[in-house]
Amino acid sequence: MSSTLKLIASTGLNAVLEELLPLYQAQKGISIVSSYDSSNLILRRLDSGELVDIVLSTRNALNDLAQRGIVETGSLLNLAKSGIGIIVKTGTQHPDI
């Protein structure tokens, strides 16, 4: 394994990875070059032939990559669950959802 890994991740993971990656790198004695993009742009980058060692994205995007043989199916791992919320400003009408 190379002493430098290339990681691409969904933008929603930027803050947590920028905090955790330096700790992991120091513990393991490796370097990780990270970049962040939306899941659909990650798919495009990999479709265009960009080579990376680690992909952190939505499960749907990872499944798509695995089905097309771009990533190794056996390496898929769920790391976290994410929820999406909605909020309405006080005094405004609630949307019909």
Side-chain angles (χ1 to χ4, degrees):
M1 179 166 64
S2 171
S3 60
T4 300
L5 297 175
K6 186 173 179 186
L7 176 143
I8 188 170
S10 296
T11 53
L13 297 171
N14 184 292
V16 69
L17 288 176
E18 291 304 307
E19 186 175 326
L20 294 177
L21 287 178
L23 302 172
Y24 183 82
Q25 291 174 98
Q27 183 183 48
K28 299 294 183 180
I30 62 170
S31 175
I32 298 176
V33 176
S34 59
S35 65
Y36 304 91
D37 235 324
S38 64
S39 293
N40 62 332
L41 291 179
I42 288 173
L43 292 173
R44 284 189 206 160
R45 288 171 63 176
L46 297 175
D47 283 338
S48 296
E50 184 171 343
L51 299 176
V52 299
D53 299 297
I54 302 167
V55 180
L56 298 174
S57 190
T58 64
R59 185 60 186 215
N60 286 344
L62 296 177
N63 286 340
D64 180 51
L65 292 168
Q67 288 174 348
R68 293 187 289 128
I70 295 173
V71 298
E72 187 178 315
T73 303
S75 68
L76 295 175
L77 175 67
N78 288 327
L79 294 178
K81 290 187 178 188
S82 174
I84 296 176
I86 186 170
I87 193 165
V88 178
K89 183 178 177 184
T90 302
T92 61
Q93 187 174 359
H94 290 213
D96 184 21
I97 54 173

